[in-house]
């Protein structure tokens, strides 16, 4: 900075650069003259002003350097955020390009109403509906058909509300087809109201090296008691091993276990992908390797079955998320008093959760319900007595059940507030067991279980 200061000084208007001419007087052999030395006075005021300007320039330069360094530091963070937003928006762009967000497609709506009328008539013919229920549904459908006809002429702005009405009507029809009274007699008629502190808290037997996976207890009444742990061993995504214990004591003491090899490789058709696994009627149900398929592995016969969930998102297309997404949680299996369920999402339902009741023997889809809950807005979900419950993140140590969808009535609510404790932020597997009415959680290498109150 010295050279800059010298430059400024050199530019000061010094009068010494101009010579003075003076007249002298001879006195005793000496020439006496009067000289005005004020002309060579150093311009202190001008110098101080220039020095102040220099200091201001120096401070501005330092501030500019600081901003530049901060920009270099933040640019990677901005780039990463933009990339994340772009990836999240890509699925919506895809859905939009496919025309799935076109709410004014009346022809499709007409087809949907006509198809629903055929389904109601077919269900009544097969005696899945009694005459009174069938008449109620037909009356409601006739009202909808009339509204559609009027909307095409006069009012196109209530179409989305009408679509929601049709969705609920379909869900009521699915409920009438699926349930009989005996299945629901053992269920509470009220929603979940409380989750206890953990009654089991234990590190999984494979240790913290395997933070992702699932665990639980045989979920079918009448089947032999069996506790199980299924770690995801390859990239925290794929698994090939199931560890079982024949009693709770053996499980707690980590003794007398049996390791079962489901497949010999992590990349075969029947390899386990993701943590959405359950054990039901001595068979393991899970999402098959890199596919929308549900796999079934029979522990007794060591045989496989598989079935594709139509249009189901997979391979991180519609995983569970909240602040961040949980890898390969697109397809989640669950069991309750009524049997086996698959929880997933489809483009056709705009990424919202779809619930399918499965035949545990053949894996065939018995019935399907569509919700309006976006799957990426929840951290996990489970079924109890035909009711879907969804959770969300509250803090690194607490989760909350906030949503319920009743497949029996077709009604839903997002006003629940049932918090529960956890060990870590990420929850991988969360499912209910109807044999002991407990909730089982695999939480970043730890296994927890809770008592439920309705």
């Amino acid at each position: 900075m010295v050279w800059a200061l010298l430059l400024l000084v050199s530019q000061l208007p010094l009068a010494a650069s101009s010579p003075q001419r003076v007249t002298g007087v001879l006195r005793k052999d000496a020439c006496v003259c009067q000289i005005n030395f004020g002309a060579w006075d150093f311009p202190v005021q001008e110098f101080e002003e220039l020095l102040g300007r220099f200091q201001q320039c120096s401070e501005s330069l330092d501030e500019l350097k600081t901003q530049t360094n901060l920009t270099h530091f933040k640019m990677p963070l901005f780039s990463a955020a933009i990339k994340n937003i772009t990836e999240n928006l890509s699925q919506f762009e895809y859905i939009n390009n496919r025309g799935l967000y076109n709410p004014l497609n009346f022809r499709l709506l007409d087809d949907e109403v006509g198809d629903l009328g055929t389904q109601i008539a077919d269900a009544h013919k097969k005696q899945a509906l009694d005459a009174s229920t069938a008449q109620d549904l037909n009356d409601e459908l006739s009202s909808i058909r009339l509204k559609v006809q009027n909307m095409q002429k006069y009012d196109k702005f209530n179409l989305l509300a009408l679509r929601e009405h049709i969705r609920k009507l379909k869900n009521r029809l699915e409920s009438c087809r699926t349930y009989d009274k005996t299945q629901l007699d053992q269920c509470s008629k009220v929603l979940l109201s409380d989750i206890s502190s953990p009654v089991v808290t234990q590190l999984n037997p494979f240790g913290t090296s395997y933070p992702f996976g699932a665990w639980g207890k045989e979920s079918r009444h009448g089947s032999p008691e069996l506790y199980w742990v299924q770690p995801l061993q390859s990239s925290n995504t794929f698994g090939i091993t199931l560890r079982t214990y024949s009693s709770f004591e053996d499980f707690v003491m980590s003794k007398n276990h049996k390791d079962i090899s489901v497949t010999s490789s992590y990349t075969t058709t029947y390899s386990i992908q993701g943590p959405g696994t359950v054990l039901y009627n001595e068979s393991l149900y899970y999402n098959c390797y890199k596919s929308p398929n549900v796999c079934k592995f029979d522990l007794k016969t060591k045989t496989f079955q598989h079935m594709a969930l139509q249009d189901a998102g997979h391979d991180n297309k519609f995983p569970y998320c909240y602040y961040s997404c949980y890898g390969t949680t697109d397809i989640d299996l669950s069991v309750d008093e009524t049997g086996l369920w698959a929880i997933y999402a489809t483009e056709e339902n705009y990424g919202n959760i779809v619930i399918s009741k499965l035949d545990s023997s053949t894996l065939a889809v018995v019935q399907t319900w569509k919700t309006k809950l976006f799957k990426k807005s929840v951290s996990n979900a489970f079924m109890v007595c035909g009711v879907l419950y969804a959770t969300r993140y509250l803090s690194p140590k607490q989760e909350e059940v906030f949503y319920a969808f009743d497949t029996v009535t077709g009604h839903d609510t997002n006003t629940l507030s049932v918090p529960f404790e956890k060990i870590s932020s990420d929850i991988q597997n969360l499912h209910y067991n109807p044999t002991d009415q407990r909730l089982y959680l695999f939480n970043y290498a730890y296994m927890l279980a809770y008592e439920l109150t309705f």
Side-chain angles (χ1 to χ4, degrees):
M1 300 299 177
V2 175
W3 62 270
L5 184 56
L6 291 175
L7 179 61
L8 290 171
V9 172
S10 68
Q11 295 175 350
L12 291 172
L14 296 178
S17 60
S18 302
Q20 294 185 51
R21 291 184 178 274
V22 297
T23 303
V25 178
L26 183 62
R27 292 180 181 174
K28 297 180 180 181
D29 299 328
C31 182
V32 179
C33 59
Q34 186 175 359
I35 299 175
N36 180 13
F37 286 102
W40 284 287
D41 283 350
F42 187 80
V44 175
Q45 183 176 354
E46 289 88 343
F47 176 77
E48 289 179 347
E49 290 177 357
L50 285 172
L51 184 60
R53 287 164 55 192
F54 169 75
Q55 289 174 340
Q56 289 176 0
C57 290
S58 179
E59 290 172 358
S60 298
L61 184 61
D62 290 340
E63 184 179 352
L64 184 60
K65 284 184 175 180
T66 301
Q67 292 176 350
T68 302
N69 292 335
L70 186 60
T71 301
H72 282 305
F73 172 74
K74 287 192 173 183
M75 276 303 295
L77 301 179
F78 293 151
S79 298
I82 291 171
K83 181 181 178 182
N84 185 48
I85 292 171
T86 302
E87 290 175 351
N88 288 338
L89 286 176
S90 62
Q91 62 180 324
F92 297 106
E93 290 177 354
Y94 179 81
I95 292 174
N96 186 56
N97 292 337
R98 291 283 299 273
L100 298 177
Y101 284 143
N102 179 8
L104 303 180
N105 195 330
F106 286 102
R107 181 170 180 176
L108 289 178
L109 189 59
D110 282 333
D111 292 343
E112 199 170 353
V113 171
D115 181 61
L116 185 55
T118 302
Q119 292 181 45
I120 293 173
D122 184 61
H124 179 48
K125 183 178 180 180
K126 294 179 179 179
Q127 298 184 340
L129 297 176
D130 57 55
S132 176
T133 303
Q135 186 60 48
D136 289 344
L137 291 174
N138 276 316
D139 290 345
E140 196 166 343
L141 189 63
S142 296
S143 175
I144 291 174
R145 186 178 285 111
L146 182 60
K147 288 179 181 179
V148 171
Q149 292 171 355
N150 290 334
M151 279 181 7
Q152 291 184 50
K153 296 179 181 179
Y154 310 113
D155 181 8
K156 298 183 179 181
F157 296 101
N158 289 323
L159 181 59
L160 292 178
L162 194 59
R163 280 194 178 279
E164 176 64 13
H165 194 168
I166 292 175
R167 184 187 67 83
K168 290 182 177 180
L169 196 60
K170 281 184 175 180
N171 286 336
R172 284 174 55 194
L173 176 60
E174 299 296 341
S175 301
C176 294
R177 285 173 167 176
T178 303
Y179 295 114
D180 58 56
K181 187 175 183 298
T182 57
Q183 284 183 304
L184 299 175
D185 279 346
Q186 56 188 312
C187 290
S188 170
K189 303 303 181 185
V190 295
L191 294 176
L192 177 66
S193 61
D194 186 65
I195 300 176
S196 72
S197 297
V199 294
V200 176
T201 304
Q202 187 167 325
L203 181 66
N204 85 81
F206 300 92
T208 55
S209 298
Y210 298 99
F212 299 94
W215 87 286
K217 177 178 177 284
E218 164 64 58
S219 300
R220 184 178 182 273
H221 285 286
S223 293
E225 184 178 42
L226 203 65
Y227 288 84
W228 57 273
V229 183
Q230 195 281 297
L232 296 178
Q233 297 147 308
S234 177
S235 305
N236 295 327
T237 301
F238 308 108
I240 59 174
T241 303
L242 178 70
R243 176 166 292 187
T244 62
Y245 302 87
S246 58
S247 70
F248 183 68
E249 180 183 356
D250 286 347
F251 165 74
V252 171
M253 301 299 293
S254 293
K255 65 179 184 179
N256 301 326
H257 67 266
K258 180 181 179 181
D259 285 341
I260 301 172
S261 292
V262 179
T263 61
S264 59
S265 168
Y266 293 107
T267 57
T268 66
T269 302
Y270 295 108
S271 296
I272 300 168
Q273 174 170 300
T277 303
V278 291
L279 183 67
Y280 180 68
N281 195 20
E282 299 183 79
S283 291
L284 194 70
Y285 297 86
Y286 55 92
N287 181 203
C288 312
Y289 177 76
K290 288 190 175 297
S291 73
N293 296 345
V294 173
C295 274
K296 173 185 177 181
F297 175 69
D298 191 310
L299 271 58
K300 293 181 294 184
T301 64
K302 303 297 188 290
T303 56
F304 294 95
Q305 291 175 254
H306 72 275
M307 179 276 304
L309 290 171
Q310 185 176 358
D311 301 325
H314 60 95
D315 289 303
N316 294 318
K317 189 166 191 175
F318 295 119
Y320 289 127
C321 304
Y322 205 65
Y323 287 110
S324 60
C325 290
Y326 309 136
T328 57
T329 54
D330 304 73
I331 296 174
D332 191 14
L333 283 303
S334 190
V335 174
D336 69 357
E337 288 78 1
T338 68
L340 180 67
W341 298 85
I343 304 168
Y344 56 101
T346 65
E347 291 176 3
E348 187 271 335
N349 198 39
Y350 315 113
N352 296 328
I353 287 181
V354 175
I355 319 162
S356 287
K357 186 75 167 57
L358 304 182
D359 184 312
S360 61
S361 298
T362 64
L363 295 182
V365 174
V366 179
Q367 297 297 341
T368 295
W369 291 259
K370 296 176 182 178
T371 76
K372 56 183 179 181
L373 179 65
F374 189 52
K375 190 167 184 288
K376 283 191 169 184
S377 70
V378 306
S379 56
N380 221 290
F382 58 93
M383 299 294 300
V384 181
C385 285
V387 177
L388 171 80
Y389 291 96
T391 64
R392 63 185 170 193
Y393 175 97
L394 288 184
S395 73
K397 300 296 182 183
Q398 197 172 49
E399 205 81 1
E400 179 186 58
V401 176
F402 76 100
Y403 175 88
F405 174 85
D406 190 341
T407 61
V408 177
T409 64
H411 297 154
D412 64 352
T413 178
N414 59 2
T415 60
L416 296 183
S417 180
V418 186
F420 60 96
E421 302 170 29
K422 58 183 179 179
I423 299 293
S424 176
S425 295
D426 297 344
I427 61 175
Q428 285 76 50
N429 178 283
L430 182 67
H431 68 270
Y432 167 76
N433 191 304
T435 66
D436 57 10
Q437 296 187 320
R438 285 182 173 181
L439 197 61
Y440 288 81
L441 169 65
F442 197 97
N443 183 205
Y444 209 78
Y446 282 87
M447 303 176 296
L448 295 86
Y450 309 83
E451 302 284 357
L452 304 182
T453 302
F454 296 89

